Amino acid sequence: MIFRDSAPIRDGFGRALVEVATRRREVVALTADVSEPTRVHWFAEEFPNRFYQMGISENDMIGTAAGMALNGLIPFATTFAVFAASLAHQAIRLSVAYNEANVKIVCSHGGITVGGDGATHQAFEDLALMRLIPGMTVVCPCDANEAYDATIAIADYEGPVYMRVGRIASPIIDQGRSSFELGKARIVRTGDDVALLANGIMLVYALEAAELLEQEGVQARVINLHTLKPLDEDAVLSAARECAALVTVEEHSVLGGLRGAVAELLSARHPTPIEGVGVNDTFGEAGEPEEMLAKYGLTVNQILAAARRAVSRGGVVTEV
Amino acid sequence: MQHNKDELQNFAHQIRRDVIRMIRHAGSGHPGGALGAAELFAVLYGHAMKHDPGAPEDPHRDRLVLSNGHICAALYSALARTGYLPLEELGTLRQLGSRLPGHPSRTKLPAVIENSSGPLGQGVPVAKGIAQANLQLGFTGHIYCLVGDGEMHEGIVWESLLSAAQHRVGNLTLIVSYNNLQIDGRVSDIKDIQPLADKLRAFRWDVTEIDGHNIDAVAEALTNRHAKPDQPKAVIANTVMGKGVPFMENLAKWHGTCPTEDEATQALEAIGTVPAYQDFPIMEKAEA
């Protein structure tokens, strides 16, 4: 436990990168003019000879990182989520993923809590865009400690990875004795009436909703699906079988991200109604993070309402 | 080391023959640019690059990153003729299950194909990243990156040109095959890239301009790697699309058109045969 109480998720990445680079000299880092916002500046201070400032050139950065990886380095390429997942998608698809290059793309400023920068800088679709690329591992840690562990895990994993780390300070979550393992969901709370499947900053809201549901006599299982791809299918299928009412909770479009991944799996293996809490199919706007979460429906109350709807349907597939 | 001009010229002719036969056999492909770059491939694989088919993964090897992947028939031919592939494999171009798809795929031939390419411009930063990793890891190889002239329209190329100079990537040579043709016509009519040498110099590259079909000039330009060790190098190779096949020369149509059987025969006759190189066996496609 490096962080206590509350910290920006990106801090977990920045601190862990220094730690992993101390251990592994093939780790290098690149940024596209956002070293401080992505927290890669701590690495740059410690390892100036292994740090590559690429300027405002995300495509160049991703392609360069791919070439470095093809030659034995472990590059961490850092920028904001919109500038990697959207702007540099071709370079990620071709030069990283199709080449099977061992590049780690770590992006801050994903989701709606970017705040006042507005819609242009709010990536609601980055996780979906990355999920669609064959061979890509996609990670969205829930707090700074998990980002720390995830950074070390993805450095040790051989293959392309996209990881989203949030900008705002978010609470540190007690995940008990479960340890971070890529591709393995963490059961943060047990219960059999409804399962709340969440990742990123929304996990803490799901936990809060679960506490309130308990007061209503509803036992909610809360599952941290920090790895969106490969999805922990067993954890999701078990939840569907044992809880029969599911809610996905994500700081992302309800299309193609966590709800998408869960729906794709369950529609084939265990058809189950899914209530999705996330951003609807829309662009964002400028606003304080808390205002944005409220306006776009990413709240404890929305999770509660979704959970109640899911429970009332009782797992029965009906048209809604 | 002095090059053998006749041998390299024969190698280039052999690449041309292979390109025609491969594409004719495949039924589709991109002959024009491949024919136009034959001398570049012959000099790279026959002289300029330090490489060993017996040790393809040598970290100190020189490498070619082909960015304009559509001309890969010439690359496959050069690889086969230098011992990386069985000659008969050239007959599998663009077929299901082949290691030689219509655009190169690194994972099908790791360390032989250095980079997957096709979407234009993308190979330039990859080549630069390989070169920078060489500097970081102490590998001595020189990295060549081949691009087409129309490819210079892609923004990613110019991003990479800037950062290669900024990071003093001196172990990198960009080769521009400049035939002034792209799919829809002349580069100079569509979106002119002139004055290219001046642009590259303004981007702080060491620029040489040559006749891309003159073996001596190509050999000299591609082996001049130690001058200005902190500066990336660009070689503008003026080439002719379809070079060596008169009816294909300077016609944009041959960017991506497969010759008919008669045209292929005419093309092979125009290129001529060299007894030193046996043609690769073309396998008949299995009857459906």
Side-chain angles (χ1 to χ4, degrees), chain A residues 19-243:
Chain A
E19 135 72 23
V20 82
T22 306
R23 191 161 50 80
R24 304 192 64 173
R25 54 183 287 277
E26 62 271 41
V27 168
V28 297
L30 306 85
T31 195
D33 200 33
V34 283
S35 54
E36 193 276 336
T38 59
R39 296 298 190 258
V40 79
H41 65 305
W42 291 322
F43 175 97
E45 287 160 12
E46 289 290 325
F47 305 99
N49 296 329
R50 287 152 63 181
F51 174 67
Y52 295 87
Q53 174 57 264
M54 304 304 296
I56 308 166
S57 305
E58 293 78 11
N59 282 295
D60 181 30
M61 175 178 71
I62 296 293
T64 301
M68 290 173 166
L70 294 179
N71 207 352
L73 295 175
I74 304 175
F76 279 75
T78 62
T79 181
F80 294 176
V82 276
F83 303 139
S86 300
L87 198 158
H89 194 271
Q90 172 67 85
I92 296 172
R93 176 184 187 272
L94 174 78
S95 300
V96 175
Y98 188 53
N99 269 334
E100 297 181 5
N102 189 23
V103 175
K104 319 302 171 186
I105 301 158
V106 179
C107 292
S108 64
H109 293 61
I112 201 166
T113 49
V114 169
D117 282 343
T120 58
H121 281 52
Q122 294 160 348
F124 298 167
E125 67 287 318
D126 57 323
L127 301 172
L129 287 167
M130 293 296 104
R131 261 190 78 225
L132 288 174
I133 297 177
M136 184 66 77
T137 292
V138 181
V139 187
C140 183
C142 67
D143 66 15
N145 283 330
E146 191 164 271
Y148 189 96
D149 294 341
T151 300
I152 288 168
I154 65 175
D156 289 338
Y157 164 79
E158 172 87 24
V161 176
Y162 177 85
M163 182 165 82
R164 181 211 265 194
V165 291
R167 188 182 76 85
I168 56 168
S170 35
I172 298 300
I173 298 168
D174 179 4
Q175 299 198 68
R177 282 176 299 171
S178 79
S179 57
F180 181 87
E181 194 180 328
L182 266 182
K184 186 98 177 103
R186 300 170 92 168
I187 311 296
V188 190
R189 192 180 196 283
T190 55
D192 283 343
D193 296 326
V194 62
L196 309 180
L197 312 171
N199 61 20
I201 64 158
M202 296 312 292
L203 183 67
V204 74
Y205 294 85
L207 279 166
E208 214 173 302
E211 297 294 328
L212 295 170
L213 285 167
E214 187 170 20
Q215 294 169 19
E216 301 173 13
V218 174
Q219 296 301 326
R221 180 181 306 187
V222 180
I223 303 176
N224 175 8
L225 283 167
H226 50 73
T227 307
L228 193 53
K229 185 181 178 181
L231 191 69
D232 186 341
E233 298 190 348
D234 289 342
V236 176
L237 285 166
S238 297
R241 290 192 188 106
E242 294 159 17
C243 304

Side-chain angles (χ1 to χ4, degrees), chain A residues 2-23:
Chain A
I2 306 291
F3 300 94
R4 296 188 185 282
D5 301 329
S6 167
I9 296 177
R10 57 185 171 169
D11 286 12
F13 158 66
R15 294 296 179 203
L17 187 61
V18 172
E19 135 72 23
V20 82
T22 306
R23 191 161 50 80

